Amino acid sequence: MKKISHLITTVLFVFGFSLLSSVSMVRAQAVEQWSNPATWGGTIPSASTSVMIGEGKTVEFDVSSATVKNIMIEHGGKLIFRDQNFQLTTGWIVVHGDMIIGTTSAPFQNKGVITFIGTDTTENAMPFMGTKGILVHEGTLDLHGKVSTTSWTRLNATAPKGASQITLEKSVDWKSGDHI
């Protein structure tokens, strides 16, 4: 009886270890860099490139600027943005997987600009969703930025037309260069 109990314990241990090892392998998905030609099969995407981030692929947008024709993030694919100033210019982004700019535990602290370009008003990246924008279909768009303690306040005095300074009713944590 002792031998059977030991054998069952050993089998369960080996099975459990194998199961944990395979789960760890799934979670340890490699993050590839946008700036690395190997991520894209040898050539970094350019203005004429339709970017495809396939299932099981995680790409970190680690460049300060890029222009591509469009971006498709397939189910199981991820596009994450490094916490740095960036400019991304594209026709559209379709998200079936995940697009992440900041997290709740590490909000994006810099300035990110995504500009949508193109003149073809008949192009339809996703049926009934339009021709420009971040089009999310069965995917996740996760955006977390720095939080301002003051989202709005009143003027303390009338500002003349064209004024470069204003007087506010209360103190704010806005920085030079912020837009109001």
Side-chain angles (χ1 to χ4, degrees), residues 15-177:
F15 176 76
F17 181 78
S18 298
L19 185 60
L20 285 173
S21 296
S22 63
V23 169
S24 298
M25 287 172 49
V26 169
R27 287 187 188 155
Q29 186 178 37
V31 176
E32 300 178 61
Q33 304 303 311
W34 186 284
S35 62
N36 185 350
T39 300
W40 311 108
T43 306
I44 296 172
S46 66
S48 62
T49 306
S50 290
V51 171
M52 176 82 68
I53 300 175
E55 182 178 355
K57 187 169 189 142
T58 299
V59 176
E60 179 183 39
F61 192 85
D62 66 328
V63 295
S64 60
S65 69
T67 300
V68 296
K69 184 175 180 180
N70 50 54
I71 301 172
M72 174 73 72
I73 306 167
E74 293 186 335
H75 295 279
K78 289 184 183 180
L79 176 59
I80 57 176
F81 288 75
R82 181 177 285 177
D83 194 355
Q84 65 183 22
N85 291 342
F86 74 83
Q87 292 186 337
L88 172 59
T89 304
T90 187
W92 44 260
I93 302 170
V94 172
V95 182
H96 295 295
D98 300 309
M99 181 171 157
I100 303 166
I101 304 176
T103 64
T104 53
S105 59
F108 187 80
Q109 298 294 310
N110 287 283
K111 182 177 182 180
V113 177
I114 300 175
T115 304
F116 298 101
I117 58 171
T119 56
D120 185 355
T121 58
T122 63
E123 179 183 34
N124 212 0
M126 285 292 302
F128 310 109
M129 292 184 81
T131 59
K132 302 272 176 282
I134 301 172
L135 312 169
V136 181
H137 183 258
E138 296 182 3
T140 302
L141 176 61
D142 217 350
L143 307 173
H144 298 273
K146 58 184 170 185
V147 177
S148 172
T149 57
T150 307
S151 60
W152 70 278
T153 187
R154 297 179 193 274
L155 291 176
N156 198 34
T158 301
K161 182 177 181 177
S164 60
Q165 292 185 351
I166 55 175
T167 305
L168 302 177
E169 187 176 74
K170 63 180 181 178
S171 295
V172 295
D173 62 345
W174 303 339
K175 308 256 185 300
S176 177

